[in-house]
Protein backbone atom coordinates (compact mmCIF):
# COMPACT_ATOMS: atom_id res chain seq x y z
CA UNK A 1 0.00 0.00 0.00
CA UNK A 2 1.25 3.51 -0.84
CA UNK A 3 2.27 5.99 1.86
CA UNK A 4 -0.93 8.08 1.36
CA UNK A 5 -2.92 4.86 1.58
CA UNK A 6 -1.24 3.87 4.85
CA UNK A 7 -1.89 7.35 6.22
CA UNK A 8 -5.59 7.16 5.36
CA UNK A 9 -5.90 3.66 6.80
CA UNK A 10 -4.18 4.54 10.08
CA UNK A 11 -6.15 7.78 10.41
CA UNK A 12 -9.51 6.10 9.90
CA UNK A 13 -8.67 3.26 12.30
CA UNK A 14 -7.71 5.79 14.95
CA UNK A 15 -10.92 7.79 14.40
CA UNK A 16 -13.03 4.65 14.73
CA UNK A 17 -11.20 3.36 17.82
CA UNK A 18 -11.40 6.73 19.60
CA UNK A 19 -15.09 7.23 18.81
CA UNK A 20 -14.49 10.26 16.62
CA UNK A 21 -16.27 8.18 13.99
CA UNK A 22 -19.03 6.61 16.11
CA UNK A 23 -20.94 3.42 15.41
CA UNK A 24 -23.56 4.02 12.77
CA UNK A 25 -21.67 6.88 11.09
CA UNK A 26 -22.00 6.69 7.31
CA UNK A 27 -18.85 7.19 5.25
CA UNK A 28 -18.52 7.94 1.56
CA UNK A 29 -15.44 8.21 -0.63
CA UNK A 30 -15.66 11.81 -1.84
CA UNK A 31 -16.30 13.63 1.47
CA UNK A 32 -13.78 11.42 3.28
CA UNK A 33 -11.14 12.09 0.62
CA UNK A 34 -11.80 15.83 0.82
CA UNK A 35 -11.61 15.83 4.62
CA UNK A 36 -8.27 13.98 4.58
CA UNK A 37 -6.85 15.89 1.63
CA UNK A 38 -6.24 12.86 -0.57
CA UNK A 39 -7.62 11.35 -3.74
CA UNK A 40 -10.46 8.84 -3.74
CA UNK A 41 -8.22 5.85 -4.49
CA UNK A 42 -6.51 5.49 -1.09
CA UNK A 43 -9.86 6.08 0.63
CA UNK A 44 -11.49 3.34 -1.44
CA UNK A 45 -8.68 0.91 -0.55
CA UNK A 46 -8.84 1.87 3.12
CA UNK A 47 -12.60 1.33 3.23
CA UNK A 48 -12.20 -2.17 1.81
CA UNK A 49 -9.45 -3.01 4.29
CA UNK A 50 -11.49 -1.73 7.23
CA UNK A 51 -14.44 -3.79 6.05
CA UNK A 52 -12.23 -6.89 6.06
CA UNK A 53 -11.08 -6.01 9.58
CA UNK A 54 -14.67 -5.83 10.81
CA UNK A 55 -14.65 -2.10 11.52
CA UNK A 56 -16.87 -1.03 8.59
CA UNK A 57 -19.93 -2.57 6.95
CA UNK A 58 -21.08 -2.03 3.38
CA UNK A 59 -24.02 0.36 3.05
CA UNK A 60 -25.29 0.78 -0.48
CA UNK A 61 -23.33 0.75 -3.71
CA UNK A 62 -20.35 2.85 -2.58
CA UNK A 63 -20.95 3.80 1.02
CA UNK A 64 -19.97 2.24 4.33
CA UNK A 65 -21.12 2.50 7.91
CA UNK A 66 -19.02 2.26 11.08
CA UNK A 67 -19.77 -0.99 12.88
CA UNK A 68 -20.69 -1.09 16.54
CA UNK A 69 -17.78 -2.80 18.31
CA UNK A 70 -18.81 -3.98 21.75
CA UNK A 71 -16.51 -4.88 24.63
CA UNK A 72 -17.96 -8.41 24.63
CA UNK A 73 -17.25 -8.81 20.92
CA UNK A 74 -13.61 -7.83 21.41
CA UNK A 75 -13.25 -10.06 24.47
CA UNK A 76 -14.74 -13.03 22.65
CA UNK A 77 -12.49 -12.56 19.63
CA UNK A 78 -9.40 -12.26 21.80
CA UNK A 79 -10.35 -15.35 23.79
CA UNK A 80 -10.60 -17.36 20.58
CA UNK A 81 -7.14 -16.18 19.61
CA UNK A 82 -5.80 -17.17 23.03
CA UNK A 83 -7.22 -20.67 22.75
CA UNK A 84 -5.78 -21.21 19.28
CA UNK A 85 -2.36 -19.75 20.06
CA UNK A 86 -2.30 -21.75 23.28
CA UNK A 87 -2.90 -24.90 21.25
CA UNK A 88 -0.09 -23.90 18.88
CA UNK A 89 2.28 -23.38 21.80
CA UNK A 90 1.42 -26.76 23.34
CA UNK A 91 1.92 -28.58 20.06
CA UNK A 92 5.18 -26.73 19.38
CA UNK A 93 6.51 -27.72 22.81
CA UNK A 94 5.48 -31.34 22.34
CA UNK A 95 6.91 -31.45 18.82
CA UNK A 96 10.17 -29.72 19.78
CA UNK A 97 11.79 -26.65 18.28
CA UNK A 98 14.17 -26.80 15.36
CA UNK A 99 17.48 -25.03 15.84
CA UNK A 100 16.46 -22.44 13.23
CA UNK A 101 13.14 -21.68 14.95
CA UNK A 102 14.80 -21.47 18.35
CA UNK A 103 17.37 -19.03 16.98
CA UNK A 104 14.67 -16.91 15.33
CA UNK A 105 12.61 -16.77 18.53
CA UNK A 106 15.72 -15.81 20.49
CA UNK A 107 16.39 -13.01 18.01
CA UNK A 108 12.90 -11.63 18.71
CA UNK A 109 13.60 -11.78 22.44
CA UNK A 110 16.95 -10.03 22.05
CA UNK A 111 15.42 -7.26 19.94
CA UNK A 112 12.68 -6.75 22.49
CA UNK A 113 15.18 -6.66 25.35
CA UNK A 114 17.11 -3.92 23.58
CA UNK A 115 13.89 -1.99 22.91
CA UNK A 116 12.71 -1.97 26.53
CA UNK A 117 16.13 -1.71 28.21
CA UNK A 118 16.08 2.10 28.33
CA UNK A 119 13.00 2.08 30.57
CA UNK A 120 10.56 3.91 28.29
CA UNK A 121 9.10 3.68 24.79
CA UNK A 122 8.34 6.13 22.02
CA UNK A 123 5.71 5.80 19.31
CA UNK A 124 8.48 4.66 16.96
CA UNK A 125 9.56 1.98 19.48
CA UNK A 126 6.01 0.62 19.55
CA UNK A 127 6.00 0.38 15.77
CA UNK A 128 9.20 -1.68 16.01
CA UNK A 129 7.61 -3.83 18.71
CA UNK A 130 4.56 -4.33 16.50
CA UNK A 131 6.73 -5.91 13.81
CA UNK A 132 8.80 -8.13 16.11
CA UNK A 133 5.67 -9.19 18.01
CA UNK A 134 4.03 -10.23 14.75
CA UNK A 135 7.17 -12.15 13.78
CA UNK A 136 7.24 -13.92 17.16
CA UNK A 137 3.63 -15.09 16.87
CA UNK A 138 4.12 -16.23 13.27
CA UNK A 139 7.12 -18.31 14.33
CA UNK A 140 5.09 -19.88 17.13
CA UNK A 141 2.28 -20.85 14.77
CA UNK A 142 4.71 -22.36 12.28
CA UNK A 143 6.50 -24.28 15.06
CA UNK A 144 3.26 -26.07 15.94
CA UNK A 145 3.40 -27.97 12.66
CA UNK A 146 -0.37 -27.57 12.45
CA UNK A 147 -1.37 -25.32 9.52
CA UNK A 148 -5.05 -25.59 10.50
CA UNK A 149 -4.39 -23.28 13.46
CA UNK A 150 -3.05 -20.46 11.28
CA UNK A 151 -5.87 -21.00 8.78
CA UNK A 152 -8.49 -20.75 11.52
CA UNK A 153 -6.88 -17.64 12.96
CA UNK A 154 -6.89 -16.08 9.50
CA UNK A 155 -10.63 -16.65 9.23
CA UNK A 156 -11.17 -15.00 12.61
CA UNK A 157 -8.94 -12.03 11.78
CA UNK A 158 -11.96 -10.12 10.47
CA UNK A 159 -13.33 -9.91 14.00
CA UNK A 160 -12.44 -6.49 15.51
CA UNK A 161 -8.96 -6.58 17.04
CA UNK A 162 -8.83 -10.40 16.85
CA UNK A 163 -5.60 -10.37 14.88
CA UNK A 164 -2.27 -10.26 16.68
CA UNK A 165 -1.18 -7.75 14.03
CA UNK A 166 -3.58 -5.17 15.49
CA UNK A 167 -2.07 -3.28 18.41
CA UNK A 168 -3.90 -0.37 20.03
CA UNK A 169 -1.65 2.10 21.84
CA UNK A 170 -2.52 5.16 23.89
CA UNK A 171 -0.06 7.87 22.94
CA UNK A 172 -1.17 10.00 25.90
CA UNK A 173 0.15 7.45 28.39
CA UNK A 174 3.35 5.97 27.03
CA UNK A 175 4.60 5.20 30.56
CA UNK A 176 1.71 2.81 31.02
CA UNK A 177 2.18 1.43 27.54
CA UNK A 178 5.81 0.72 28.40
CA UNK A 179 4.68 -1.37 31.37
CA UNK A 180 2.01 -3.17 29.33
CA UNK A 181 4.21 -4.11 26.40
CA UNK A 182 7.27 -4.86 28.52
CA UNK A 183 5.09 -7.30 30.46
CA UNK A 184 3.92 -8.86 27.20
CA UNK A 185 7.54 -9.20 26.13
CA UNK A 186 8.40 -10.94 29.41
CA UNK A 187 5.61 -13.39 28.60
CA UNK A 188 7.39 -14.08 25.32
CA UNK A 189 10.46 -15.00 27.37
CA UNK A 190 8.50 -17.39 29.58
CA UNK A 191 6.74 -19.13 26.71
CA UNK A 192 10.06 -19.66 24.89
CA UNK A 193 11.46 -21.19 28.08
CA UNK A 194 8.47 -23.54 28.20
CA UNK A 195 8.90 -24.44 24.52
CA UNK A 196 12.60 -25.15 24.91
CA UNK A 197 11.93 -27.46 27.86
CA UNK A 198 9.04 -29.25 26.17
CA UNK A 199 6.48 -28.05 28.73
CA UNK A 200 3.32 -28.13 26.63
CA UNK A 201 0.74 -27.40 29.32
CA UNK A 202 2.77 -24.47 30.65
CA UNK A 203 3.31 -23.02 27.18
CA UNK A 204 -0.42 -23.27 26.43
CA UNK A 205 -1.37 -21.55 29.67
CA UNK A 206 1.07 -18.68 29.10
CA UNK A 207 -0.19 -17.99 25.57
CA UNK A 208 -3.81 -18.01 26.68
CA UNK A 209 -2.98 -15.47 29.35
CA UNK A 210 -0.83 -13.53 26.89
CA UNK A 211 -3.88 -12.81 24.73
CA UNK A 212 -5.51 -11.05 27.68
CA UNK A 213 -3.03 -8.18 27.37
CA UNK A 214 -5.10 -7.19 24.35
CA UNK A 215 -8.25 -6.79 26.44
CA UNK A 216 -7.18 -3.29 27.39
CA UNK A 217 -8.72 -2.36 24.02
CA UNK A 218 -12.05 -2.32 25.83
CA UNK A 219 -11.11 0.57 28.08
CA UNK A 220 -9.38 2.35 25.19
CA UNK A 221 -12.51 2.18 23.07
CA UNK A 222 -14.64 3.56 25.91
CA UNK A 223 -12.25 6.46 26.59
CA UNK A 224 -12.92 8.84 23.71
CA UNK A 225 -10.41 11.32 25.09
CA UNK A 226 -7.50 8.97 24.60
CA UNK A 227 -5.14 9.47 21.68
CA UNK A 228 -5.48 5.88 20.51
CA UNK A 229 -3.55 4.64 17.50
CA UNK A 230 -4.02 1.22 15.92
CA UNK A 231 -0.81 -0.29 14.61
CA UNK A 232 -1.61 -2.93 12.05
CA UNK A 233 0.04 -4.25 8.91
Amino acid sequence: MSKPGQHVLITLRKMIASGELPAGERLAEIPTAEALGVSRTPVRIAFRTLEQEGLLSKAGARGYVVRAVSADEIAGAVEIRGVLEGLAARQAAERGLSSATRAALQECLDQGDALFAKGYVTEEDLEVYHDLNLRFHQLLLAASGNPAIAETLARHAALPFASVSALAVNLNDLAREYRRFNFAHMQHHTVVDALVHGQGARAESIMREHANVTLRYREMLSDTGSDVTILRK
Side-chain angles (χ1 to χ4, degrees):
M1 185 179 293
S2 66
K3 189 171 183 180
Q6 285 284 359
H7 170 73
V8 170
L9 190 55
I10 291 170
T11 300
L12 290 175
R13 283 198 195 110
K14 177 178 175 180
M15 293 171 74
I16 293 170
S18 68
E20 186 177 348
L21 289 175
E25 180 85 2
R26 292 183 67 90
L27 300 176
E29 288 180 15
I30 294 176
T32 302
E34 291 175 348
L36 298 179
V38 297
S39 69
R40 294 172 60 183
T41 299
V43 172
R44 184 181 307 118
I45 295 172
F47 281 174
R48 290 172 182 168
T49 301
L50 293 169
E51 181 187 16
Q52 293 170 357
E53 294 174 5
L55 296 179
L56 294 181
S57 297
K58 204 82 168 70
R62 296 187 178 181
Y64 289 84
V65 63
V66 178
R67 279 192 57 201
V69 181
S70 70
D72 288 342
E73 187 176 9
I74 295 172
V78 170
E79 186 170 359
I80 289 171
R81 195 184 87 206
V83 169
L84 290 170
E85 290 192 328
L87 174 62
R90 177 169 62 80
Q91 293 187 339
E94 293 171 352
R95 184 169 182 250
L97 298 179
S98 68
S99 57
T101 297
R102 184 170 178 175
L105 288 170
Q106 186 60 51
E107 183 179 9
C108 290
L109 297 181
D110 293 343
Q111 290 174 350
D113 289 346
L115 191 70
F116 294 111
K118 60 183 180 297
Y120 65 90
V121 290
T122 64
E123 183 178 356
E124 291 73 22
D125 290 332
L126 292 176
E127 290 175 352
V128 172
Y129 178 78
H130 167 272
D131 292 343
L132 72 87
N133 179 64
L134 181 59
R135 172 66 174 154
F136 182 92
H137 284 254
Q138 289 172 335
L139 286 166
L140 178 65
L141 293 179
S144 73
N146 186 348
I149 297 176
E151 292 169 4
T152 304
L153 279 169
R155 287 196 294 270
H156 282 83
L159 296 172
F161 303 102
S163 173
V164 71
S165 63
L167 291 181
V169 298
N170 185 349
L171 300 181
N172 285 337
D173 196 352
L174 287 177
R176 186 172 181 177
E177 296 299 67
Y178 168 81
R179 294 190 298 272
R180 183 164 71 106
F181 287 109
N182 186 48
F183 175 72
H185 179 63
M186 290 302 101
Q187 288 180 317
H188 285 181
H189 272 278
T190 57
V191 77
V192 169
D193 181 75
L195 294 174
V196 168
H197 290 91
Q199 299 169 334
R202 178 179 172 226
E204 181 174 16
S205 176
I206 293 167
M207 287 308 298
R208 292 190 66 160
E209 173 59 28
H210 184 59
N212 287 326
V213 174
T214 310
L215 290 180
R216 190 172 169 239
Y217 293 152
R218 291 188 293 180
E219 68 183 71
M220 288 180 169
L221 291 171
S222 64
D223 182 4
T224 57
S226 295
D227 186 6
V228 177
T229 294
I230 312 298
L231 303 177
R232 180 165 181 164
K233 295 276 177 90

